[in-house]
Amino acid sequence: MRGRVANMAGIAGAGKRAMRILSGVQPSGKLHLGNYFGAIRQFVALQERGEAFYFIADLHALTSVRDAAALRRWRLELALDFLALGVDPARATLYCQSEVPEISELFWLLGTLTPMGLLERAHSYKDKIAQGLSPEFGLFAYPVLMAADILAVRGELVPVGKDQKQHLEIARDLAVKFNQTWCPDFDPQRGTGGVLVLPEPHILEDSAVVPGTDGRKMSKSYGNTIEIFAPDKQLKKSVMSIVTDSRTVEEPKDPESCNVYQLLKLVAPPEELEAIAQRYRRGGMGYGEAKQLLLAHLHRVFDPARERRRELEQRPDEVLDVLRTGARRARAVAAEVLAACKEACGLA
Ligand code: ADP
Ligand code: TRP
């Protein structure tokens, strides 16, 4: 991770300008362990290495949320989650996507250049169609809006989960297409002379897929999540509901095929994990005990953030202020990029 980031910083600005790190999360439900280990943990680490822009993808959330009160609540809750888990407004710019209207305008400019075939091949669209959901234009155009999110603020390094890799490729394709179409000096080999900067994905492989309580990928849509900020009782209930096989305490077990152990891997220290694995293999360790250990480690790792979040909840004005300041900063960059794009394509 270190080498890659240093390398990108070199490409981005030869030491003159900090690398722009950018990512977003949809406010479409409560934050879970998959979101943290697949996304937010990287956001927090990367804010030390460049100029980070993190946002609440509320326009994207409209493709699935149809409850205004819930969306309003989740937007604020996600801001609280980010801040409690360590996104630092002194280092990172935090904002709501819908507060930066330049993104939506760039979305259209990109849309006029987007081949239908590119969007028809997008996994997230194909998956939803396969689930029998009747498609709306917003869902189809989702990757174009995502490209606009990134390109509007010159995002260079984009930390995301594995499932977003294809969307990043589409964002790159659209940046190249725009530059090729509208910028006569664009050199695709050297990446110079264009108005849009080409983004790079940044994917953490080892925690790329966090399993849920039923062993499938942890996801809001499967109802198999462990919510980081759930009340104590609910957190315990989720952990106790993790599906295991019916081996007795005495029987030897394979740690690698156990959902509880897979989650312990994310939170237990390596020495302890090794000892747990040995006890699994030897027999004598029951799933109930493993779940209790997991619960204790979840508390150890997340209780400080859970406490910080409770404190922040008492000061919503401060959180709104962070979002307002963030939107102002993001708009300043997006307005510059949009002006350059409009000039390039003859709208100014
Ligand atoms: P959900 O599947 O619960 O709706 P989102 O699609 O909103 O989650 O994901 C938000 C971010 O969290 C994305 O960057 C995504 O890749 C990451 N993420 C979500 N679930 C997982 C998981 N189970 N393992 C790893 N990363 C995940
Ligand atoms: N589609 C992303 C997700 O579901 C969220 C997102 C929207 C995003 N716009 C983005 C992520 C731009 C990175 C960059 O997780």
Side-chain angles (χ1 to χ4, degrees), residues 24 55 57 61 68-69 85 104 108 111 114 130-131 134 156 169 189 192 197 207 226-227 256 280 300 304 309 318 343:
F55 69 94
L85 287 166
S104 299
W108 180 258
T114 308
Q131 285 168 32
S134 76
E156 292 168 307
E169 284 159 11
Q189 241 70 55
T192 54
V197 175
S207 62
I226 297 178
E227 291 169 14
E256 293 305 324
Y280 260 78
R300 181 183 59 77
R309 196 178 184 286
E318 238 172 79
E343 167 141 23

Side-chain angles (χ1 to χ4, degrees), residues 29-35 209-228 230 234-244 259-260 262-263 266 294 298:
K30 303 240 179 208
L31 200 84
H32 55 74
L33 288 179
N35 301 140
V209 177
V210 175
T213 53
D214 60 358
R216 291 186 291 172
K217 177 194 169 206
M218 188 176 288
S219 172
K220 279 168 289 221
S221 39
Y222 296 151
N224 63 356
T225 63
I226 297 178
E227 291 169 14
I228 295 173
Q234 189 190 327
L235 186 64
K236 181 169 180 186
K237 204 169 153 210
S238 314
V239 170
M240 295 306 154
S241 76
I242 298 173
V243 175
T244 56
N259 296 327
V260 185
Q262 292 310 309
L263 291 169
L266 299 169
L294 174 61
L298 287 172

Side-chain angles (χ1 to χ4, degrees), residues 22-26 55 57 60 142 146 149-150 158 160 164 167:
L22 169 123
S23 197
V25 176
Q26 295 188 60
F55 69 94
H60 276 115
Y142 185 111
M146 191 159 153
D149 293 329
I150 300 168
V158 186
V160 281
Q164 298 297 314
H167 288 156

